[in-house]
Structure formats: structure tokens, C-alpha cells
Amino acid sequence: MNSKNFKALLGTELPIIQAPMAGVQDSKLAIAVANAGGLGSIPCGMLSSAQIVDEIKRFRAATSAPLNLNFFCHELPPFDNRAQARWHELLAPYFDELEIAADLGQGGASRMPFNHEIADAIEAFKPEVISFHFGLPQEDLLKRVRSWGAKVISSATTVAEAEYLAARGVDGIIVQGVEAGGHRGMFLSDDVSTQVELEPLLTEIASRVDAPLIAAGGIGDGHGVQAALSMGACAVQVGSAYLLCDEANTSSLHRAAIEHAANTEGSTVRAEGCTALTNLFSGRPARGLVNRAMSELGAINDSTPAFPYATNLMAQLRKASETRGMSDFSPLWCGQNVGSCKKISAGEMTLALMQQVTQLE
């Protein structure tokens, strides 16, 4: 196992981080994982400052374990009316089919980057870990976070991104293989051809970066955990395996799609064919289960507005479709480890991930 001690980094009993998964979880999942010995995470990128504070309070009331708060730190571009009009033109047949009128407003801006207002709201709680997606925030914000004593970790999807993060003194780097569900953490390039699987990515980063590494992507059982630790990671981040757990807020349609995909692939743990990277639902590449929108529009479509403004129109189609019991336009985020999703408690899942692990510091 890597000489970097996960306990010094995470403050937990187990080298398991529950991946923050916006839209399918809240503090309930984080609490369950924390009480089992892992690091519970709360995704904050789609929450208001008041909502973030409420989630922290619920977590603190339930456990004294360390907490990870996760934030986006993207640049928010100006709203582009022309791009939105082109996007609407492409999606118009679906609005006609569902018999709804499109609102071309800026609703997609609900994904806000980390800022001083959020920092003001959470500072008093002194979260033990702050994780970032899409790089790092401005240096003044980073200094504020560090002044609280929080460990700072961020995602890297390439060697160049890992070197960038290490040069800026992060406490740990989440090495995100292309197998991972949800949004890619890529921030130095928007070229999806740069995205590779966890094993070669982790191996190369471990040879070139002197920082604690956290493996993420396609890990859904103890064998995956053990393999990641043996390749140089000090801990793993697991998300998709928790999607069917009792404490997750995964919708019934999303759960049904996961179970269908797993059954279609039989006993295969990694089901490459049923998931794909797509930019349709937000404007940034993210891995999810293939559905009608991805099949008909193409998983990666050049007409998609910049992140996060693709969300607004797709969310309207999603709402109308889900009302009819269909997930045709829903972002069914899931990694390639579909077969590892189990309908058990998150505590059981966390302990099960450790069953084949034979070495701990």
C-alpha cells in the first residue's frame, strides 16, 4: 500500500470516500458512510448557501465523524441567447411531442462555482475536507479554506492536471478514471480523447506526482479497492456502487434503469456498453446510462450550450417525460460498475468494499 497514510489525510478508519453525487443524495448517505468508518461527502454544487448549512447541521447532529464538502469551481460564462436558440431548435421536436412550451431562460445557472458567499456560510463549521471539481478556486478562496485547517483535495483526469494540482499544494489528488460516473473533473482541456481508464492513469500519476492519491472510477467491490491500493493509491472514492443503497435519493426511474442495465449485462461487474460520456444534460462530459436522448442526439453533441446552460431545456423535457413515467431525457449518472450496485444500506456497502482488502496502515 502507498506510504501516504490515509488516516492523516481523511481522518477516517477506512480508506473509503463516498463520492459526492448531486441530485441523488443528501446528508443521509454521507452520515451512513461516515458511521461505517468512511468519509461521507455532501455535494454542494447545486445547493444554496442556506441549504448547504442545513445539510452540515444534519450531519453534525448525527455523527462526530469527518465531513467532506464538495464544490464546483468552474468559470461561469455569460448566457448566450443564440446558443440557447440553436439548442432549442434541435430539441423542438421533443417539446412538440411532449406538448409543452419551452422556456428559454437561464435556469441552468443553478450550478454555481465556489465563492466567498459560500465560504462565509460554511466557515464556522470548519469542515475537515473540502474537495473541488473542475480544478481549483481562486487563490484567495483557497487560502480561506486552508486557514480553517481543512484538507484540500481535487480531481485530476490527466497527468497534466495531477501535476497542476500538486504544484499548487493540494493535500490529495482524486485520480478520476474514465470509468467513473457523473461529471468528468477535466479542467485543462475539454478534449474527451484525453480521458483514459483508471489503471494506466493511476500508475503514471503515481510515478510522477509526490502527493497522496485517491483512486476513482469503476471501483465497486473489495477487489477493486485492493487493486487501487496496490497501484499506489492511499484511498478510493466510490460513488455509483451506492446508487441503490437505502439512504440514496436515487429516483425510482433511475433505480429501474440501473437494475435493467445490470440484468442486461448478466453478472458482468463492468458494463461498458450501457454507459457513455455525454454533454447533453449540462454542457460538460459526464458518464451516465444510455437513454433515448443520448441515442438519438448523439452522446456528445456540438450544439450543446456551454456548461451549465444546457441544463435548462433538458430539465424541462426531463420533467415532462418523468411525469409520464419515462427517463428518456433524464441524466442517469452511473459509472461502468453497474453490476456492483446493491439494494443494501450504505453502511453495509462501505464495509463490503473492505472485505477483500488485506493491507492497511
Side-chain angles (χ1 to χ4, degrees):
M1 185 174 170
N2 192 301
S3 60
K4 307 291 185 183
N5 190 331
F6 74 89
K7 292 186 179 181
L9 176 63
L10 307 179
T12 58
E13 291 301 313
L14 302 176
I16 304 287
I17 301 175
Q18 163 252 313
M21 299 180 288
V24 295
Q25 67 140 127
D26 57 20
S27 55
K28 293 192 299 295
L29 183 63
I31 291 165
V33 172
N35 283 334
L39 180 63
S41 304
I42 296 175
C44 302
M46 296 178 67
L47 302 179
S48 68
S49 296
Q51 289 172 323
I52 295 169
V53 168
D54 286 344
E55 288 295 277
I56 296 173
K57 288 180 176 178
R58 292 187 185 100
F59 184 93
R60 294 295 197 212
T63 178
S64 59
L67 171 63
N68 170 36
L69 298 180
N70 176 257
F71 298 96
F72 295 155
C73 46
H74 57 286
E75 292 287 335
L76 191 63
F79 186 74
D80 187 334
N81 287 297
R82 291 185 178 181
Q84 202 71 6
R86 289 193 298 269
W87 188 222
H88 175 242
E89 183 178 1
L90 182 65
L91 300 179
Y94 299 121
F95 280 92
D96 292 340
E97 177 186 326
L98 293 167
E99 300 180 320
I100 59 172
D103 176 357
L104 300 182
Q106 303 183 36
S110 59
R111 289 182 171 93
M112 299 299 294
F114 187 63
N115 55 45
H116 282 290
E117 178 190 343
I118 295 171
D120 290 342
I122 67 174
E123 184 168 7
F125 298 97
K126 298 191 181 305
E128 290 80 5
V129 180
I130 298 286
S131 61
F132 294 107
H133 217 48
F134 312 139
L136 291 170
Q138 298 289 336
E139 186 60 31
D140 58 340
L141 277 166
L142 208 51
K143 285 181 179 179
R144 284 193 67 179
V145 170
R146 287 178 169 142
S147 73
W148 308 336
K151 300 291 187 180
V152 174
I153 60 178
S154 186
S155 299
T157 69
T158 64
V159 174
E161 288 175 351
E163 292 175 334
Y164 175 99
L165 296 174
R168 283 154 181 80
V170 297
D171 296 292
I173 297 171
I174 302 165
V175 179
Q176 190 190 34
V178 74
E179 306 95 326
H183 281 93
R184 306 298 302 147
M186 54 200 303
F187 60 93
L188 292 183
S189 170
D190 57 6
D191 182 0
V192 294
S193 70
T194 64
Q195 305 298 282
V196 300
E197 292 190 341
L198 175 60
E199 182 174 350
L201 182 63
L202 178 59
T203 300
E204 186 170 3
I205 289 177
S207 71
R208 296 175 60 172
V209 172
D210 184 23
L213 304 180
I214 300 153
I219 300 171
D221 59 22
H223 294 296
V225 175
Q226 182 67 60
L229 298 181
S230 68
M231 288 188 290
C234 73
V236 300
Q237 180 168 279
V238 178
S240 297
Y242 287 106
L243 284 171
L244 296 184
C245 286
D246 303 336
E247 297 86 354
N249 293 337
T250 314
S251 71
S252 58
L253 287 172
H254 196 164
R255 288 174 183 267
I258 293 170
E259 293 184 68
H260 175 74
N263 291 334
T264 299
E265 296 294 331
S267 59
T268 303
V269 172
R270 181 172 294 172
E272 286 90 344
C274 65
T275 70
L277 293 181
T278 181
N279 66 347
L280 294 178
F281 300 103
S282 71
R284 274 183 179 262
R287 182 172 295 281
L289 296 167
V290 176
N291 61 3
R292 181 187 173 191
M294 293 164 68
S295 296
E296 294 183 359
L297 296 171
I300 300 293
N301 192 301
D302 292 338
S303 297
T304 306
F307 180 90
Y309 298 115
T311 301
N312 184 31
L313 290 179
M314 288 299 289
Q316 294 171 50
L317 293 174
R318 172 187 181 177
K319 181 178 180 180
S321 183
E322 289 185 351
T323 299
R324 294 162 171 79
M326 302 180 295
S327 57
D328 294 359
F329 303 96
S330 303
L332 304 171
W333 302 142
C334 188
Q336 289 185 353
N337 59 338
V338 179
S340 65
C341 301
K342 299 289 189 298
K343 293 189 285 187
I344 57 177
S345 73
E348 289 178 87
M349 175 61 73
T350 303
L351 296 176
L353 288 166
M354 298 303 301
Q355 285 182 353
Q356 285 87 24
V357 178
T358 58
Q359 293 182 342
L360 287 178
E361 292 187 43

